[in-house]
């Protein structure tokens, strides 16, 4: 299932890596694509949208509703 998240606070490659690792902590098989310019994170995963958003927020980023 393809899911898109609008993530605020990502500014660099380290941020992209942190968000990717957060998603993979919920679903190690997830495919993650981070676009720093737009703040969009595309995730291909069968995991619950809310669980992925919570993991991203635990890294210190804000996920827009």
């Amino acid at each position: 299932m393809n899911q898109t998240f609008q993530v605020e606070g990502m500014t660099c490659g380290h941020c992209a890596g942190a968000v990717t690792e957060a998603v993979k902590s919920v679903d190690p098989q997830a495919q993650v694509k981070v676009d720093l310019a737009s703040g969009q994170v595309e995730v291909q995963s069968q995991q619950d949208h809310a669980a992925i958003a919570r993991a991203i927020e635990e890294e210190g980023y804000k996920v827009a509703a």
Side-chain angles (χ1 to χ4, degrees), residues 10-62:
M10 298 186 303
T11 58
C12 64
H14 178 268
C15 296
V19 168
T20 298
E21 289 304 311
V23 172
K24 289 188 175 277
S25 74
V26 176
D27 180 1
Q29 305 302 317
Q31 294 181 13
V32 184
K33 180 180 172 191
V34 177
D35 183 339
L36 290 174
S38 69
Q40 285 196 334
V41 178
E42 292 181 23
V43 178
Q44 193 160 6
S45 172
Q46 296 302 317
Q47 290 296 319
D48 182 57
H49 187 90
I52 294 172
R54 193 166 36 254
I56 293 170
E57 289 183 335
E58 286 174 0
E59 283 297 317
Y61 302 96
K62 184 175 185 318

